[in-house]
């Protein structure tokens, strides 16, 4: 479980990148939901936390592939592979990310 | 239409095939490509592929699952030699002919060459085979590399070579590289990136010849100097691959002349990507090659121009650890204003910058170095503005 930041420090419509290996992007959507996905676009080499957030979709800032934050799946080309998704919880006003791989090894 | 033939099996050809199927075309689809490879992506060739960060599997544009879905006949490793005057028969180099009802021309461009560049050690960088050959030579140990041409591909290649530990010099005939693309002010800023990588930039002098008997040993400059070299990379631009269309009835002038919708004078022939001169301009950008096929295919299937393909231009380049992004259409005389970030010593400072090109109070283009998020916002604004402008002029 990795602490990210306080909920009030990540306003709706914003995203933040955490420097895990590989880095993870955490999004706060306009609807107030929190999502975490691997930060690096599966197409080439762009940071999705810098992308354009619209609803549950984030558009890559380099070649405009779009990913569904709920599933990690690309909804259009040029990306063809999904990014990993991670679960997010808020404990005492602090956002935490549970890395998918971490859970896998713990099990 | 019962048969559509796509000539050129690369980026724009593949996107055209996808669009044909996505737009409901269920007839026979033939894809002809003169390279033996399935479609692959060129931009990484001068970047991560050259430095070894990305291998060939990362270049593939498609996979077997998609290939099966596309249900096309791939004729690879065979060049199209001619298109008949009516645009109904594609003649192949191996003597075969393909009778067809529709044609998508997607033959791209080829690296321009220098006279005498058949010496060993002299390379161009356009194809996977080019990049393989160059990469192999670059792994043989440190050497002296001269890159001829300071455009985006030249700069990226120089950057990659220098990061591999080679001693690199870039020769540019113009007083400053990239001026046509970026304007003098910002061209100077991007040229300063070469310093970052410890690469020498020699400007304002042309190349008079290459030295060497079997392998290259140096580059003679028009100012009388000779640069010693073990490897020479010729990056002096690309010419559209239209030679095979010589006997057709299509108008050719720096590309296949098309209307705003990628349609040629023959209603069943469209052109896309680097080879197409669409509405008076020919782009050599990845994004145009992926966007044009949508309109081109719609118009091909409709038999007339029902959609236009004039998006706001966009390209990116990665060099010396910096990511350059540019969008819009700048013209000489536009003023340039850095609205975010700053320069340090004439080069992009740590954290990059965003610059706007302006004319009469309107933004015409945007350039960013390492500022993807504000760039993206500005790019959307510009695209929206262009859309509104188009609606206004259509209403007039
Ligand atoms: C090294 C490199 C780096 C690049 N980096 C960037 C970048 O960072 N950003 C950017 O925006 N753009 C970049 N580009 C440009 C981008 O790759 C091109 O715009 C894009 O590849 C154009 O696609 P295309 O399908 O139109 O043409 P091409 O990719 O040139 O494909 C045309 C295909 O048709 C084949 N062909 C030609 N003639 C015939 C014939 N007679 N019969 C059959 N087949 C034929 C060719 O062999 C080729 O396979 C780069 C290009 C290169 C070479
Ligand atoms: S790197 Fe994200 S779409 Fe290309």
């Amino acid at each position: 479980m990795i602490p990210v930041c306080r909920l009030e420090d990540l306003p709706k419509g914003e995203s933040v990148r955490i420097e895990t290996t590989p880095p993870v992007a955490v999004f706060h959507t306009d609807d107030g939901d929190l999502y975490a996905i691997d930060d690096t676009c599966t197409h080439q080499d762009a940071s999705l936390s810098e992308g354009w957030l619209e609803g549950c979709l984030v558009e890559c800032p380099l070649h405009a592939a779009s990913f569904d934050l709920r599933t990690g799946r690309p909804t259009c080309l040029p990306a063809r592979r999904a990014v990993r998704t991670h679960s997010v919880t808020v404990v005492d006003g602090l956002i935490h990310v549970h890395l998918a791989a971490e859970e896998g090894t713990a099990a | 239409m019962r048969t559509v033939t796509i000539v050129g099996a690369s980026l724009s050809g593949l996107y055209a095939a996808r669009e044909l199927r996505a737009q409901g075309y269920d007839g026979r689809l033939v894809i002809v490509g003169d390279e033996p490879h399935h479609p692959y992506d060129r931009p990484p060739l001068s970047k991560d592929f050259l430095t070894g960060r990305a291998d060939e599997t990362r270049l593939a544009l498609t996979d077997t699952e998609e290939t099966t879905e596309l249900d096309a006949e791939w004729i690879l490793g065979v060049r199209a030699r001619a298109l008949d005057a009516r645009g109904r028969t594609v003649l192949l180099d191996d003597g075969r002919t393909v009778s067809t009802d529709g044609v998508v021309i997607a033959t791209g461009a080829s690296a321009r060459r220098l006279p005498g560049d058949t010496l060993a050690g002299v390379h161009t960088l356009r194809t996977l085979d080019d990049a393989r050959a160059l990469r192999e030579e670059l792994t043989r140990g440190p050497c002296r590399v001269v890159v001829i041409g300071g455009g985006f591909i030249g700069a990226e290649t120089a950057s990659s070579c220098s990061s591999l530990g080679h001693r690199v010099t870039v020769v540019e005939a113009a007083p400053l590289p990239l001026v046509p693309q970026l304007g003098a002010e910002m061209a100077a800023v991007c040229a300063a990136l070469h310093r970052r990588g410890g690469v020498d930039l020699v400007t304002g002098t042309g190349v008079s010849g290459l030295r060497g008997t079997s392998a290259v040993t140096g580059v003679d400059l028009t100012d009388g100097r000779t640069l010693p070299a073990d490897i020479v990379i010729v990056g002096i631009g690309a010419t559209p691959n239209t030679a095979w269309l010589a006997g057709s009835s299509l108008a050719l002038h720096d590309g296949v002349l098309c209307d705003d919708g990628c349609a040629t004078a023959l209603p069943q022939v469209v052109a896309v990507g680097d080879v197409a001169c669409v509405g008076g301009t020919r782009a050599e950008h990845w994004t145009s090659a992926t966007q044009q096929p949508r309109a081109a295919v719609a118009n091909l299937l409709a038999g007339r121009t029902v959609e236009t393909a004039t998006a706001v231009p966009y390209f990116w380049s990665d060099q010396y650890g910096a990511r350059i992004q540019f969008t819009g259409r700048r013209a000489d005389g536009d003023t340039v204003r850095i609205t975010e970030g700053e320069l340090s010593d004439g080069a992009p400072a740590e954290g990059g910058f965003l610059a706007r090109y302006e004319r009469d109070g309107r933004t015409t283009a945007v350039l960013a170095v390492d500022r993807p998020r504000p760039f993206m916002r500005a790019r959307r604004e510009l695209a929206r503005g262009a859309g509104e402008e188009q609606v206004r002029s259509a209403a007039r």
Side-chain angles (χ1 to χ4, degrees):
Chain A
M1 201 159 89
I2 297 171
V4 179
C5 63
R6 299 204 60 79
L7 182 58
E8 66 251 32
D9 293 337
L10 185 64
K12 287 183 184 175
E14 292 291 315
S15 52
V16 61
R17 171 181 147 116
I18 51 176
E19 301 298 328
T20 42
T21 6
V24 165
V26 183
F27 297 86
H28 194 178
T29 68
D30 284 325
D31 291 337
D33 296 319
L34 290 164
Y35 296 100
I37 58 173
D38 275 355
D39 184 50
T40 310
C41 180
T42 58
H43 175 234
Q44 266 158 25
D45 191 10
S47 168
L48 293 174
S49 63
E50 312 256 30
W52 182 265
L53 181 62
E54 204 160 295
C56 275
L57 301 180
V58 63
E59 183 184 310
C60 175
L62 194 52
H63 315 120
S66 168
F67 294 88
D68 189 322
L69 296 175
R70 294 164 297 190
T71 59
R73 279 201 209 102
T75 61
C76 71
L77 291 166
R80 302 172 56 75
R81 287 176 300 122
V83 283
R84 286 188 315 160
T85 57
H86 310 280
S87 58
V88 187
T89 51
V90 180
V91 183
D92 294 334
L94 194 62
I95 303 172
H96 289 88
V97 166
H98 311 253
L99 290 185
E102 201 174 68
E103 280 168 13
T105 43
Chain B
M1 260 189 225
R2 306 222 321 253
T3 301
V4 173
T5 306
I6 299 174
V7 186
S10 180
L11 187 65
S12 62
L14 174 66
Y15 271 72
R18 286 173 174 157
E19 281 298 332
L20 277 160
R21 292 306 189 209
Q23 294 184 30
Y25 172 72
D26 61 2
R28 177 174 177 233
L29 180 55
V30 182
I31 304 176
V32 183
D34 66 352
E35 293 188 72
H37 317 291
H38 274 272
Y40 60 87
D41 211 17
R42 285 173 216 279
L45 295 180
S46 49
K47 310 176 180 77
D48 286 357
F49 181 76
L50 211 53
T51 58
R53 276 190 62 200
D55 61 11
E56 288 187 18
T57 56
R58 295 285 294 173
L59 301 178
L61 286 169
T62 180
D63 55 23
T64 39
E65 192 188 323
E66 188 191 25
T67 316
T68 312
E69 269 170 29
L70 280 179
D71 189 24
E73 289 166 43
W74 296 81
I75 304 178
L76 296 179
V78 182
R79 176 183 295 268
R81 189 198 304 180
L83 179 68
D84 74 312
R86 289 170 52 244
R88 296 285 184 192
T89 309
V90 178
L91 182 68
L92 306 183
D93 241 1
D94 62 7
R96 275 184 287 174
T97 55
V98 183
S99 308
T100 193
D101 306 303
V103 178
V104 179
I105 297 169
T107 43
S110 297
R112 208 175 282 144
R113 314 191 48 151
L114 274 184
D117 64 4
T118 47
L119 292 171
V122 181
H123 297 262
T124 51
L125 185 49
R126 176 81 200 179
T127 66
L128 175 58
D129 295 341
D130 291 345
R132 279 179 181 164
L134 178 57
R135 185 164 140 171
E136 200 204 288
E137 269 191 43
L138 290 170
T139 53
R140 287 191 202 143
C143 55
R144 291 162 306 180
V145 178
V146 173
V147 177
I148 302 175
F152 286 112
I153 291 183
E156 290 181 353
T157 307
S159 158
S160 296
C161 290
S162 133
S163 78
L164 289 169
H166 302 290
R167 180 94 200 85
V168 186
T169 306
V170 174
V171 182
E172 165 65 45
L176 194 62
L178 298 174
V179 173
Q181 291 90 342
L182 303 179
E185 238 172 299
M186 288 299 128
V189 172
C190 289
L193 287 171
H194 290 288
R195 276 205 306 266
R196 238 198 220 183
V199 167
D200 286 330
L201 176 63
V202 176
T203 59
T205 175
V207 167
S208 56
L210 300 174
R211 284 213 174 181
T213 40
S214 61
V216 73
T217 57
V219 176
D220 288 331
L221 304 182
T222 47
D223 67 5
R225 276 184 294 169
T226 297
L227 302 172
D230 310 303
I231 296 180
V232 170
I233 299 154
V234 181
I236 54 173
T239 39
N241 291 324
T242 53
W244 68 282
L245 294 166
S248 73
S249 52
L250 300 178
L252 308 173
H253 176 73
D254 185 41
V256 178
L257 294 193
C258 308
D259 69 6
D260 287 350
C262 301
T264 68
L266 296 171
Q268 80 285 9
V269 179
V270 296
V272 288
D274 283 14
V275 75
C277 181
V278 180
T281 44
R282 191 171 67 81
E284 287 184 1
H285 306 319
W286 188 94
T287 302
S288 358
T290 59
Q291 287 177 340
Q292 288 167 355
R294 177 180 303 233
V297 161
N299 299 335
L300 177 69
L301 295 177
R304 63 195 173 89
T305 299
V306 292
E307 244 184 72
T308 62
T310 45
V312 181
Y314 164 67
F315 63 81
W316 81 97
S317 173
D318 294 329
Q319 32 183 293
Y320 306 109
R323 172 158 289 158
I324 300 170
Q325 292 177 286
F326 181 92
T327 184
R329 294 186 180 89
R330 60 158 286 279
D332 289 338
D334 289 359
T335 52
V336 191
R337 199 158 56 89
I338 293 187
T339 56
E340 278 189 42
E342 56 188 10
L343 305 181
S344 103
D345 201 9
E350 191 71 29
F353 68 86
L354 185 90
R356 285 176 183 269
Y357 296 73
E358 292 164 335
R359 168 168 298 246
D360 306 327
R362 298 173 68 117
T363 302
T364 56
V366 184
L367 169 74
V369 176
D370 292 331
R371 289 266 166 159
R373 201 203 291 248
F375 176 81
M376 185 157 186
R377 217 169 282 141
R379 183 181 170 195
R380 282 175 165 256
E381 251 169 54
L382 204 62
R384 206 170 332 116
E388 282 162 12
E389 185 59 38
Q390 224 164 41
V391 172
R392 266 201 299 278
S393 60
R396 271 201 287 268

